[in-house]
Amino acid sequence: MSAPSTRFADAARAALAGVRDVPVWLDTPDRPARRPALDGDLVVDLAIVGGGLTGLWGAVLAAQGAPARSVALLEGGDLAWAASGRNGGFCSSSLTHGLANGLSRWPDEMPTLLAMGEENLDAIEATVAEHGIACDFRRSGELTVAVEPWQVAELAELAEAARGLGEKVELLGADETRALVDSPTYLGSLHDPRSTAIVDPARLVWGLADVAERLGVTLHERTRVVGMHDEGGMVRLDTTSGRVRARQVLLGTNAFPSPLHRLRPYVVPVWDHVIATEPLTADQLAAIGWAGRQGIGDAGNQFHYYRLTADDRLVFGGYDALYYFGSDLASRRRRSPATEQLLTEHLLETFPQLEGVRIGHTWGGAIDTCTRFTAFWAQAMGEKVAAVQGYTGLGVGASRFGAQVALDLLDGADTPRTRLEMVRRKPVPFPPEPFRWAGIQLTRRSIARADATQGRRDVWLRTLDRLGLGFDS
């Protein structure tokens, strides 16, 4: 969809009446009790800052790799409260924010990056099975659907590139696509049957936390790190309720300001919003098909992503990514009524056979965006600290890889992962305000214009492409 819909405006307003403003994944009586905050001082081998998926994978992998190593994880809020519990639940094998973005940046490394990404997703699936993590993990694949004629041609080019790299993808026409999922907007699709799983992300977080504790990791919630200091052989972390001294520190702070101040210009918080319907009836499900329960994303620059949950709610998000001046992370940004209305209109335009469905939940959260749209790594304080962030929306799967690389770097290990150019080089930082805000707003307007003009990129977008900053969804 290249422009806001008006046909379904009234139906969307009715659908949103009485909506709950909490992520559907967190609105459950099964939410675990909060772990206690740090109380006093602690000395450990490894301290992890951030209790999202990066931090939890880091804790699990560290404890498995060196069982004698003492590990403490510090989460400033509650487990799963931020990006790890607010996302759409797409667990992708991509480490590069999609094939096109990877090819534009690391063409020579793409065969290796694809293989590592598949191995990473396989390992996530194996961990979920081994430890019985009840997070509705389904290796259902993904459909990237064309909803404009220019997107059909772009998907054909992408399919050719993927096949050239040995990827088993199918290019489908409109009728073939609608036989899988029935939307009148679909003109074709690229079907990748193995590279994506769908998952309940909050339950994945809670399950990994249980695994980490069983492996001996200490978890502290409501323990915000307010300072980090090099003390020679140790790193001191000052928190709101005590101090931690650690031989090594892994930072997984996502969109939040890093304790390593020099990394802050590399990441901006972009707010993404999501809606979830009430559970669909058997008749509503039959009307749209979707027996394969694939994750779906459309091929626009401003794109939507959507999937079904275990109880048959339709989760629908994306499109209207928002940046606020000064990298504002205030809680008031979690709601955007205009965006919620727009997403609901777009959902009904995609599936008009669902007109009359009610929206049960709506929420928003910040994504840690960097200029290359993929994770990056950095070290500091005599290589006792390693940081990873910048996933730009594909962190559910890539977070495990990000944590493993960070642990490699802390151990000084020379591995195929640490030799990647992607790991060795950081992205271009964002400029300071007000240039940051102005540049992001100009880019948002330009990509909207490109979607409205058959994908044609204007001078601004072509300039960003030449600088290696080109937006590629």
Side-chain angles (χ1 to χ4, degrees), residues 196-448:
T196 299
I198 57 171
V199 65
D200 181 322
R203 290 182 184 274
L204 177 60
V205 167
W206 299 331
L208 287 173
D210 289 341
V211 173
E213 282 188 321
R214 290 197 296 271
L215 292 169
V217 177
T218 302
L219 304 179
H220 291 291
E221 299 181 64
R222 299 290 175 99
T223 303
R224 185 165 60 90
V225 173
V226 295
M228 184 171 69
H229 308 276
D230 190 349
E231 294 190 335
M234 304 286 279
V235 176
R236 189 185 84 232
L237 297 171
D238 298 331
T239 82
T240 48
S241 55
R243 290 180 174 178
V244 177
R245 287 178 170 82
R247 288 195 309 107
Q248 297 175 324
V249 174
L250 192 163
L251 302 177
T253 54
N254 198 263
F256 296 94
S258 175
L260 190 57
H261 286 223
R262 62 182 171 85
L263 291 187
R264 294 184 179 184
Y266 290 90
V267 172
V268 299
V270 172
W271 287 81
D272 183 52
H273 292 269
V274 192
I275 58 175
T277 69
E278 295 289 356
L280 302 183
T281 67
D283 287 344
Q284 288 171 326
L285 285 169
I288 61 176
W290 213 346
R293 307 180 77 88
Q294 301 90 345
I296 300 176
D298 62 56
N301 291 303
Q302 289 182 290
F303 64 95
H304 308 83
Y305 55 85
Y306 40 109
R307 46 75 58 93
L308 295 172
T309 66
D311 60 351
D312 294 326
R313 300 172 190 268
L314 201 168
V315 172
F316 192 92
Y319 189 80
D320 199 21
L322 303 172
Y323 173 76
Y324 299 101
F325 187 86
S327 295
D328 189 358
L329 281 165
S331 60
R332 70 182 184 278
R333 302 301 187 187
R334 295 176 191 169
R335 293 293 304 274
S336 173
T339 300
E340 294 161 10
Q341 171 75 16
L342 182 64
L343 285 173
T344 307
E345 292 177 20
H346 283 181
L347 184 153
L348 295 173
E349 186 175 350
T350 302
F351 296 118
Q353 53 276 57
L354 296 183
E355 189 168 1
V357 73
R358 296 192 65 82
I359 304 301
H361 297 78
T362 183
W363 67 94
I367 292 172
D368 60 334
T369 300
C370 72
T371 56
R372 72 182 193 194
F373 317 116
T374 68
F376 68 90
W377 294 262
Q379 287 191 269
M381 298 187 180
E383 301 187 341
K384 297 187 294 294
V385 175
V388 54
Q389 57 189 135
Y391 297 103
T392 318
L394 283 187
V396 176
S399 55
R400 182 188 179 279
F401 179 82
Q404 182 64 76
V405 171
L407 292 172
D408 288 348
L409 294 171
L410 287 173
D411 291 342
D414 179 19
T415 70
R417 291 182 291 264
T418 60
R419 290 194 291 270
L420 291 167
E421 182 184 356
M422 175 185 176
V423 172
R424 292 184 290 106
R425 296 180 184 272
K426 290 198 293 294
V428 176
F430 288 95
E433 299 288 19
F435 306 106
R436 175 183 299 182
W437 182 87
I440 292 172
Q441 301 311 313
L442 181 55
T443 302
R444 291 185 71 244
R445 286 194 292 271
S446 291
I447 63 174

Side-chain angles (χ1 to χ4, degrees), residues 82-96:
S84 293
R86 292 185 188 155
N87 62 78
F90 282 64
C91 188
S92 173
S93 67
S94 178
L95 306 176
T96 61

